[in-house]
Amino acid sequence: MNAEPDSTSQREGVTPDGLLHSGSEGEFTAEDVVLASGRDVNPENLAWAERRLAQRGKAALDELLP
C-alpha cells in the first residue's frame, strides 16, 4: 500500500469525479459541452457548443464522454 497521495488526482485543472456528470443524468448546458471537450469556457467555445447542441441534441455531450 502506498502512503503517498495519488499525484494524478491532485493535479491542477483536473475536475474531481464527484463534479463530473453526463447528459443522461439530467439537463446540461453549452458550458457542460465545452468542459467535456476539454476546451476553455469563453464566448467562442460556448457558441460552438450551442451549435453542436442544436445539431446533435443530447448526443453532443454523450459523444464527448468515454
Side-chain angles (χ1 to χ4, degrees):
M1 189 160 155
N2 189 351
E4 293 182 26
D6 181 7
S7 63
T8 59
S9 64
Q10 301 297 321
R11 291 184 299 174
E12 185 177 322
V14 175
T15 303
D17 289 346
L19 296 178
L20 296 174
H21 58 89
S22 70
S24 61
E25 296 174 354
E27 295 297 316
F28 56 91
T29 65
E31 183 175 349
D32 294 321
V33 174
V34 171
L35 293 172
S37 72
R39 300 174 186 207
D40 291 329
V41 177
N42 61 43
E44 181 180 320
N45 289 338
L46 287 170
W48 165 81
E50 288 170 2
R51 288 191 305 273
R52 186 176 174 99
L53 282 168
Q55 294 170 349
R56 298 183 176 150
K58 183 179 175 178
L61 184 62
D62 291 339
E63 292 170 349
L64 295 171
L65 299 173

